[in-house]
């Protein structure tokens, strides 16, 4: 929901802050409920690589190793570090994504 | 990085209006990070044609100006707290974006290329500007899932990469038809970049904006929609992840256990393989500079797999090493496969 639309509809300024946060939360809830109800199309089968006929056993095993890591937090942190400055937006940050 | 190491920048700054415009010059001089900027692909394409990289200076400068124009507007659309519009104001920022877009066209018009190449470069820049703007329009519309996600990603991210490759190839002496084939590789590069960007956003702390829009991020969308045992828990966490760090931490761990991170890695590797196959089929005089682009973009995933304990992951992503190791397995399930199909 866009506060600017609300402002145009009501003809007056809508105060930011709590209302904006409440609307953002409402959007998330709507998304989550749509996902829960499977009204959102799936982003893929679960572990589709495991049933990909052309895929090699070592690569399937590698993806499973990544999935079942016992160091998710370490991998997450180090991958964030690795990607810092790598995303080639090339200006000041990754904000063009 | 000094101007001397920024080919094409001097030509942009020598445009009278740009040179006399402090906000424009300051923005054009800015560059951070060690990654390959999208305009650098112009040099790679030019070199792949067997031409000296310096012949792509103006082409790269034009893409740089166009990219910055897109960047300025994108920040306004996203209400990004780091956006220039907070400092310059939205009107002045929009005006600067228009100026940079025009500067890109003017740069190639005065670049001394022949008429065919000049016309093709201008068309490429115009397609990239229009395509990206349309993609940004799609990006701010409601998303209903994977189909919307991939339509938006393919519309908004690749055009600048496609353009950089096309104008670089044209600068290197390619005919427009040949340059178009080289440019098609940019679609693959754009998808790899966007998937890596999704992972970066999903892994960020505090929570990035994608946690508010799960259908706009491949990792979060996968964990929220694929049929894995932790899905219901992930959906419960999803509603709180933006405000509750403990929920975010648990949800990010579930990104791994759900297979979402592996799904992103799989998608990147699939796209890398198909991109390298397309590159091979082009039979360019020197494909190495473009192969290096793909290798640079797949490297973070290779390192992620290595970090997870996978031995020699670089061997696993190379399709040519896989054929002999292919195994017999059951046929793929028939559910919605839109999300992770190869392009």
């Amino acid at each position: 929901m866009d506060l600017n639309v609300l402002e145009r509809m009501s003809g007056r300024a809508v105060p930011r802050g709590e209302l904006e946060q409440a609307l953002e939360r409402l959007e998330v809830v709507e998304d989550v409920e749509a996902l829960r109800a499977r009204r959102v199309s799936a982003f893929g089968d679960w572990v589709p690589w495991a049933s990909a006929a052309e895929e090699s056993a070592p690569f399937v095993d590698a993806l499973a190793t990544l999935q079942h890591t016992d160091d998710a937090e370490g991998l997450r942190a180090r991958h964030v570090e690795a990607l810092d400055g790598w995303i080639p937006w090339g200006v000041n940050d990754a904000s063009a994504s | 990085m000094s101007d001397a190491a920024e080919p094409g920048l001097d030509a942009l700054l020598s445009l009278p209006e740009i040179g006399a415009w402090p906000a424009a010059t300051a923005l054009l001089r800015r560059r951070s990070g060690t990654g390959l900027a999208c305009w650098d692909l112009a040099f790679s394409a030019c070199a792949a044609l067997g031409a000296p990289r310096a012949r792509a200076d103006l082409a790269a400068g034009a893409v740089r100006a166009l990219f910055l124009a897109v960047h300025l507007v994108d920040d306004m659309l996203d209400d990004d707290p780091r956006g220039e519009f907070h400092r310059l104001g939205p009107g002045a920022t929009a005006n600067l974006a228009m100026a940079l877009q025009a500067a890109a066209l003017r740069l190639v018009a005065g670049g001394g290329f022949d008429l065919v190449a000049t016309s093709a470069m201008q068309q490429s820049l115009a397609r990239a500007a229009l395509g990206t703007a349309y993609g940004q329009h799609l990006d701010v519309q409601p998303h209903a899932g994977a189909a919307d996600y991939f339509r938006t990603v393919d519309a908004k991210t690749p055009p600048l990469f496609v353009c950089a490759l096309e104008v670089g190839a044209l600068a290197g002496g390619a005919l427009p038809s040949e340059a178009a084939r080289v440019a098609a590789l940019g679609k693959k590069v754009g998808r790899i970049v966007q998937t890596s960007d999704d992972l970066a956003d999903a892994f960020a702390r505090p929570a990035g904006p994608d946690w508010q829009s799960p259908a706009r991020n491949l990792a979060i969308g996968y964990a929220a929609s694929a049929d894995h045992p932790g899905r219901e828990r992930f959906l419960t966490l999803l509603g709180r992840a933006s405000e509750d760090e403990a929920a975010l931490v648990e949800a990010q761990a579930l990104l791994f256990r759900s297979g979402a991170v592996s799904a992103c890695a799989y998608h990147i590797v699939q796209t890398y393989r198909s991109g390298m196959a397309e590159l091979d089929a082009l039979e360019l005089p020197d494909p190495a500079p473009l192969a290096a682009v793909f290798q640079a973009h797949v490297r973070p995933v290779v390192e992620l797999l290595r970090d997870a304990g996978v031995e020699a992951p670089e061997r696993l992503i190379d399709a040519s090493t896989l054929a002999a190791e292919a195994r017999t397995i059951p046929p793929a399930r028939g559910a919605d496969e839109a999300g992770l199909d190869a392009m």
Side-chain angles (χ1 to χ4, degrees), chain A residues 20-21 24-25 27-29 31-32 35-69 71-76 78-80 82-97, chain B residues 31-39 67-68 71 74-75 80 82 144-146 149 156 196-197 200 203 205 212 214-215 218 221-222 224-225 227-229 231-232 235-236 239 243 252 256-259 262-263 266 269 273 296-297 300 307-308 310 316 322 327 329 333 335-337 339-340:
Chain A
E20 188 168 32
Q21 290 172 15
E24 285 175 354
R25 282 197 296 274
E27 285 192 350
V28 171
V29 170
D31 276 357
V32 170
L35 285 158
R36 184 171 278 122
R38 297 189 185 277
R39 292 197 303 272
V40 171
S41 63
F43 275 66
D45 285 346
W46 189 37
V47 293
W49 49 90
S51 57
E54 75 282 6
E55 203 48 83
S56 75
F59 187 53
V60 170
D61 290 346
L63 292 172
T65 298
L66 183 59
Q67 179 182 355
H68 299 296
T69 179
D71 185 24
E73 178 56 22
L75 289 179
R76 181 204 66 80
R78 288 188 291 275
H79 196 58
V80 167
L83 289 178
D84 184 30
W86 172 86
I87 302 287
W89 306 122
V91 187
N92 51 343
D93 47 47
S95 65
S97 61
Chain B
R31 171 174 175 153
S32 67
T34 55
L36 208 58
C38 66
W39 57 82
F67 166 77
L68 289 170
H71 185 83
D74 180 79
D75 282 350
D80 194 300
R82 299 159 295 187
Y149 170 84
K156 75 169 185 173
S196 285
D197 194 56
F203 281 173
R205 293 210 188 132
Q212 297 274 357
L218 182 56
Y222 178 94
S225 65
D227 193 14
H228 63 92
R231 178 173 177 267
E232 190 58 35
L235 289 171
T236 300
E243 298 171 343
Q252 287 173 330
F256 282 90
R257 284 204 302 281
S258 68
S262 296
Y266 183 52
V269 170
R273 289 169 176 165
H297 288 306
D307 196 11
V310 175
L316 303 179
L322 298 175
R327 61 182 191 165
I329 49 175
R333 287 170 287 181
D336 182 353
E337 295 173 353
L340 291 165

Side-chain angles (χ1 to χ4, degrees), chain B residues 17 44 46 51 63 69 73 129 131 181 196 205 208 222 236 245 257 319 326:
Chain B
E17 296 87 347
S44 305
C46 184
V63 177
V73 174
R181 287 194 291 276
S196 285
R205 293 210 188 132
Y222 178 94
T236 300
E245 181 162 343
R257 284 204 302 281

Side-chain angles (χ1 to χ4, degrees), chain A residues 3-39:
Chain A
L3 281 184
N4 294 321
V5 174
L6 281 180
E7 286 180 334
R8 282 197 297 274
M9 289 169 63
S10 64
R12 63 183 179 82
V14 175
R16 261 56 178 176
E18 289 186 10
L19 175 59
E20 188 168 32
Q21 290 172 15
L23 290 173
E24 285 175 354
R25 282 197 296 274
L26 181 62
E27 285 192 350
V28 171
V29 170
E30 286 175 346
D31 276 357
V32 170
E33 289 311 313
L35 285 158
R36 184 171 278 122
R38 297 189 185 277
R39 292 197 303 272

